Amino acid sequence: MSTGNEAPATWLSQDAYDRLQAELDEHIANRPAIAAEINARREEGDLRENGGYHAAREEQGKAEGRIRYLQELLRTAKVGEAPTADAVSPGMVVTIYFDDDTDDTETFLLGSREIAATTDLTVYSPESALGKAILGGRAGQTCTYTAPSGADIKVTVVSFEPFSG
């Protein structure tokens, strides 16, 4: 039964999925080296004054966080082409124009930052102010959002299409 608040699917090209899987495998393979570094630093003595030990522990924490993130992303991601939709959704390349000026356009990918490595396009998160404003929008629809600076910005959706990676 759907609760209505599930996150939209993250679509990844096979290439992006394979790259993220390789990164995950590398992090997992590096676990013993990080543990050995922590043990070596621990043997240096007083842990309160041991910068190398604390740096190694911080590195381990970052690596473990990245491992958990990648595992969840890869577990829930859909691989392939995002289905054609009749409204703006994550995984789409979107073109907008600003403030009724059809010459002031921007084309970007609405998706996760993880996919940014697979494209030269600017990537906006669906959770960003702009992303939330245009999500579900249709070509010709005008939306207004509040930028981080506090300014209200009006944009009109020109077109959107699935990202092909």
Side-chain angles (χ1 to χ4, degrees):
M1 183 167 136
S2 175
T3 60
N5 61 358
E6 290 129 14
T10 299
W11 286 90
L12 297 173
S13 66
Q14 186 65 54
D15 186 47
Y17 182 91
D18 292 345
R19 270 201 304 274
L20 292 172
Q21 183 65 55
E23 180 187 344
L24 174 61
D25 294 344
E26 185 178 319
H27 280 298
I28 289 172
N30 199 29
R31 278 175 165 165
I34 293 174
E37 177 72 13
I38 290 171
N39 286 335
R41 298 297 182 185
R42 183 181 293 127
E43 304 211 350
E44 292 175 356
D46 187 357
L47 296 181
R48 289 172 296 172
E49 301 294 325
N50 191 331
Y53 171 79
H54 293 291
R57 290 291 304 212
E58 185 174 327
E59 183 67 27
Q60 179 187 40
K62 288 178 185 176
E64 289 301 317
R66 183 71 176 160
I67 287 169
R68 284 190 301 275
Y69 175 80
L70 289 171
Q71 285 173 328
E72 181 63 13
L73 176 66
L74 295 172
R75 184 183 70 75
T76 59
K78 304 231 186 284
V79 178
E81 300 250 342
T84 304
D86 60 354
V88 174
S89 62
M92 297 208 155
V93 175
V94 182
T95 300
I96 59 172
Y97 64 81
F98 294 91
D99 296 320
D100 300 321
D101 180 356
T102 57
D103 293 329
D104 185 10
T105 65
E106 182 175 5
T107 299
F108 57 89
L109 174 61
L110 187 64
S112 73
R113 299 199 190 286
E114 298 309 317
I115 204 162
T118 68
T119 180
D120 291 332
L121 288 169
T122 299
V123 178
Y124 288 107
S125 165
E127 289 81 35
S128 68
L130 173 59
K132 286 179 182 176
I134 64 170
L135 207 54
R138 298 184 181 339
Q141 184 173 350
T142 300
C143 313
T144 302
Y145 69 96
T146 303
S149 66
D152 284 338
I153 299 176
K154 184 167 92 171
V155 298
T156 301
V157 176
V158 176
S159 64
F160 53 91
E161 62 186 38
F163 176 64
S164 59

